[in-house]
Amino acid sequence: MQKWIFFVLFILAGALGLGVLFQDISDRQEAQEAEATAGKMQQLKLVASNWQFDTPEYTIKKGEPTKVSLSLKEGVHAVEIVGLDIKLDKENPSKEITFDKPGTYEIDCVLPCGEGHAKMKSKLIVQ
């Protein structure tokens, strides 16, 4: 009788182990697919240092999924792309968005960062 109980428990444990194994493989495949999709995504990296961005203007293509990210090289900054619903800071450093409308947008530092804060601006050109 004990042999049957151990046999049933062994089979159940094996089935449970296989279920966990296949679930883990499934999760890994989903993560790899998400990374592949993100790899195809257009990147817009805004690098902020004391009272300036790394470039006076950024250019991206319209209609493509884009990951907008803020990198703080010096100081503490928060940025807003005026006219779009994009605000990035230390707590929320990135956002995924598709720019549908071509045009020129202003990028402003919206966190007072010192004496040159008023001049801390850049442009985003969506083509």
Side-chain angles (χ1 to χ4, degrees):
M1 181 76 174
Q2 282 183 328
K3 288 182 184 181
W4 282 103
I5 293 173
F6 284 119
F7 178 72
V8 170
L9 289 175
F10 179 75
I11 296 298
L12 289 174
L16 181 63
L18 285 174
V20 169
L21 176 67
F22 286 119
Q23 179 64 36
D24 188 46
I25 290 171
S26 210
D27 291 343
R28 280 192 226 156
Q29 286 176 340
E30 288 175 13
Q32 287 175 346
E33 288 172 8
E35 285 178 21
T37 302
K40 296 176 187 174
M41 189 174 289
Q42 187 172 215
Q43 302 287 321
L44 172 60
K45 186 174 182 181
L46 308 172
V47 179
S49 59
N50 287 337
W51 311 299
Q52 66 182 1
F53 292 100
D54 62 326
T55 182
E57 67 180 37
Y58 301 88
T59 305
I60 60 169
K61 296 178 184 176
K62 75 171 186 131
E64 292 185 18
T66 305
K67 181 176 182 179
V68 181
S69 61
L70 174 63
S71 176
L72 302 177
K73 188 174 181 181
E74 291 178 315
V76 179
H77 306 279
V79 299
E80 175 182 14
I81 301 178
V82 180
L84 302 172
D85 188 28
I86 299 177
K87 293 180 182 176
L88 304 174
D89 57 21
K90 188 176 180 181
E91 304 299 318
N92 300 303
S94 67
K95 183 172 183 173
E96 293 179 9
I97 188 168
T98 300
F99 295 94
D100 294 326
K101 295 180 182 178
T104 302
Y105 302 91
E106 189 171 297
I107 302 171
D108 293 332
C109 179
V110 293
L111 180 68
C113 57
E115 64 187 54
H117 170 72
K119 295 179 183 177
M120 191 168 173
K121 298 180 184 300
S122 188
K123 290 184 181 179
L124 171 63
I125 300 170
V126 180
Q127 299 178 332

